[in-house]
């Protein structure tokens, strides 16, 4: 499993490309919750389509929303979420206590308005 949480910088654009996909095991899963442009989407699509490949779960893309004509939509082994992959019905309750120390000057009510 390769989980990408990398920030987008000039040296990380396209960092995950065919070179990485070629050395990944056929059972590997790619999860990108970082920045979309870190993954070369063309290379990902080609690798996922060629198989065998367990697949990918992608929550961020180079351009959002993902184009309706992107070949990634057609792949059964690629899960696409619209940059909300981490949301759930108790999101605020679970996340706000984690960020309160960072934003010590904010009350929980103020943070909930974000």
């Amino acid at each position: 499993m390769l989980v990408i949480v990398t920030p987008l910088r000039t040296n990380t654009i396209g960092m995950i490309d065919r070179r990485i996909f070629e050395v990944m095991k056929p059972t590997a899963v790619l999860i990108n919750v970082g920045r979309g442009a870190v993954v070369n989407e063309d290379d990902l699509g080609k690798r996922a389509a060629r198989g065998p490949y367990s697949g990918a779960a992608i929550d961020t893309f180079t351009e959002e929303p993902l184009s309706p004509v992107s070949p990634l939509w057609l792949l059964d082994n690629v899960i696409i979420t619209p940059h909300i992959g981490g949301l759930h019905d108790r999101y605020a309750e679970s996340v706000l206590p984690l960020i309160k120390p960072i934003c010590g000057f904010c009350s929980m009510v103020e943070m909930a308005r974000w």
Side-chain angles (χ1 to χ4, degrees):
M1 180 178 302
L2 174 60
V3 179
I4 303 165
V5 294
T6 305
L8 186 61
R9 304 249 186 335
T10 55
N11 64 334
T12 63
I13 295 172
M15 169 172 94
I16 307 299
D17 61 9
R18 64 176 174 73
R19 296 169 301 150
I20 301 297
F21 298 130
E22 292 301 324
V23 296
M24 290 175 69
K25 293 180 180 181
T27 56
V29 174
L30 172 83
I31 299 173
N32 187 11
V33 293
R35 295 292 175 239
V38 171
V39 175
N40 181 309
E41 293 170 11
D42 289 335
D43 289 352
L44 170 63
K46 289 173 187 171
R47 178 64 178 107
R50 189 178 66 222
Y53 189 63
S54 288
I58 310 294
D59 192 47
T60 63
F61 301 92
T62 301
E63 291 187 29
E64 294 184 355
L66 182 62
S67 168
V69 297
S70 170
L72 294 175
W73 289 111
L74 303 174
L75 299 171
D76 292 335
N77 57 348
V78 176
I79 298 170
I80 296 171
T81 57
H83 212 137
I84 59 167
L87 290 182
H88 53 85
D89 61 347
R90 297 177 72 187
Y91 181 79
E93 182 180 321
S94 61
V95 171
L96 291 177
L98 298 174
I99 64 173
K100 186 175 181 182
I102 299 167
C103 301
F105 58 89
C106 299
S107 71
M108 294 297 277
V109 172
E110 290 169 323
M111 287 191 286
R113 291 184 195 142
W114 292 352

